[in-house]
Amino acid sequence: MPELPEVETVKSALVAKLKDAVFLKVTIRNPFLRQPVPCHLQELICGATLVEFKRIAKYIVLNLNNGLSLILHLGMSGTIRLSDTQESIREHDHLIFETSKGFMIYNDPRRFGLILYTPTNSLEEHPLLKNLGLDPFDKDFNGAYLKEKLIKKTIPIKLVLLEQSIVSGLGNIYASEALYLAGIIPTKPASKLSLKECNRLVIGIKKVLQQAIEAGGSSLKDYRKPDGSLGYFQNQHCVYGKEGQPCPQCTCLLAKTGGIQKIVQGGRSTYFCKTKQR
Ligand SMILES: [Zn+2]
């Protein structure tokens, strides 16, 4: 599943390719995404120019010069292909946008993504966006903010991070990684985190996301798969997917601890080191 760094990287690629492009044609091959694609999308956006590209949590927002914004989410398996010329259609290509600067193709085997529109001036009131917590890179996202928001949360901190209502954009991978960097055990009730731990967690979240964005940005060609699709890139994780392996940043002994542990929380895998994380 694409997480915040991947979405940020896709957004950067869209800016590079489609800034000031004019929409010429929209082909909806399959409207049945997480929410149906508006059937009159073509009439709404053709002739309009793409003037601004933003990321809000894991949503990409494309602002047009006709007062509308497109809201795009990659869901579980969505990818975007950018191409100068019309390519042959592939399986799961659901939407094809032709612009004055080339083609943008939305492909999504599992169809959990979405593409909607809303007036730009009421973007923040959109049901998908209005209840989101602070962006991890918001200047107001700090330890004191986190501590205050966690006071009434008795569920494990890992699950709170996935909720999106306090801090938005963290998915399963980076929630594990940030808790690892902060030295906080993922099962700890959120309300039990001290201010010190909240400070460490905020630093861990920003660090892990920033590193991943830089990895994605510096390998703009690498993360673009040979087929030209955007959306996923390999990143070096400390704990995620590394059950039973030695923990890279502490002194725990593999023979003693069995290495990185894997548990399931809320139906999702969590990875951690029980020596480093308390
Ligand atoms: Zn360890």
Side-chain angles (χ1 to χ4, degrees), residues 155-164 179 186 265-268:
I155 61 170
I157 182 62
K158 160 86 185 311
L159 297 180
V160 172
L161 295 180
L162 296 184
E163 275 182 356
Q164 313 295 315
L179 286 164
Q265 290 180 290
R268 317 281 307 273

Side-chain angles (χ1 to χ4, degrees), residues 54 56 118-127 129-131:
K54 292 203 286 192
I56 300 177
T118 192
T120 304
N121 61 16
S122 61
L123 183 65
E124 285 169 9
E125 296 307 308
H126 193 278
L129 305 178
K130 72 175 178 186
N131 294 321

Side-chain angles (χ1 to χ4, degrees), residues 180 247 250 252 273 275-276:
Y180 175 77
C247 157
C250 81
C252 57
C273 164
T275 306
K276 179 176 157 73

